[in-house]
């Protein structure tokens, strides 16, 4: 089947089965490899992207569900890589292995769009389900606060 998708502000057409997970369309068809495969069941958050500004798990979102909606990946969050969260991530030395970072940043960006200056509890709730196997949660919290202050 043919699907017209709006990804990072550009309309793209892909030929895939309707139940193909958005993650594989992004990675394999559109070569946007920032979103990672972690678990395949939407439990880890490594594949998080925005769908009309909402954080979604692209590994469990069929491509048929995104028609007519805006998809934003880590590559489209800030093409030059200077989004306040990206700058804060570097300043706070958040990444270790880096595998979960795109999903963490996309989840945090969705939070800051709705709650520009979140409290610790709001961050904890919003970031639940985004797993960092390296355990950099304290640095993630500091980075989100730093980015909120820079907005």
């Amino acid at each position: 089947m043919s699907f017209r998708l709006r990804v990072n502000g550009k309309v793209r057409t892909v030929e895939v089965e309707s139940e193909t997970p958005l993650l594989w369309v992004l990675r394999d068809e559109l070569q946007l490899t920032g979103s990672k495969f972690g678990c395949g069941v939407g439990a880890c958050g490594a594949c998080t992207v925005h769908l009309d500004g909402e954080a979604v798990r692209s590994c469990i979102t069929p491509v048929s569900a995104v028609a007519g909606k805006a998809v934003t990946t880590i590559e489209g969050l800030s093409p030059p890589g200077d989004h306040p969260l990206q700058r804060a991530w570097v300043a706070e030395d958040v990444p270790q292995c880096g595998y979960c970072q795109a999903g963490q940043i996309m989840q945090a960006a969705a939070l800051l769009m709705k709650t520009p200056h979140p409290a610790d509890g709001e961050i904890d709730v919003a970031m639940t389900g985004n797993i960092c196997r390296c355990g950099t949660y304290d640095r993630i919290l500091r980075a989100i606060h730093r980015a909120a202050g820079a907005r």
Side-chain angles (χ1 to χ4, degrees):
M1 298 183 78
S2 181
F3 293 93
R4 287 186 53 161
L5 309 175
R6 196 166 18 124
V7 179
N8 299 333
K10 296 178 183 170
V11 175
R12 308 285 296 272
T13 302
V14 295
E15 298 284 334
V16 294
E17 296 297 319
S18 64
E19 293 305 309
T20 303
L22 177 59
L23 176 64
W24 300 121
V25 172
L26 295 171
R27 291 182 62 79
D28 296 345
E29 303 297 322
L30 302 179
Q31 286 69 53
L32 295 170
T33 58
S35 303
K36 305 296 186 217
F37 176 81
C39 67
V41 296
C44 75
C47 67
T48 303
V49 299
H50 293 173
L51 191 56
D52 283 344
E54 297 288 326
V56 300
R57 304 300 194 245
S58 63
C59 73
I60 58 170
T61 303
V63 69
S64 58
V66 304
K69 298 180 181 176
V71 177
T72 306
T73 68
I74 190 71
E75 293 92 343
L77 185 64
S78 173
D82 64 355
H83 186 279
L85 278 164
Q86 291 167 311
R87 290 195 317 267
W89 241 246
V90 172
E92 293 294 339
D93 245 353
V94 173
Q96 282 188 21
C97 81
Y99 198 81
C100 71
Q101 298 309 301
Q104 297 277 1
I105 290 171
M106 295 304 287
Q107 187 71 42
L111 166 65
L112 292 179
M113 282 190 277
K114 289 182 179 176
T115 309
H117 300 284
D120 285 357
E122 292 170 304
I123 294 170
D124 289 344
V125 168
M127 300 303 289
T128 296
N130 282 74
I131 297 170
C132 175
R133 288 173 179 88
C134 299
T136 65
Y137 297 110
D138 290 339
R139 287 182 270 177
I140 290 168
L141 179 70
R142 287 195 309 267
I144 293 170
H145 281 301
R146 180 185 288 258
R151 300 189 94 205

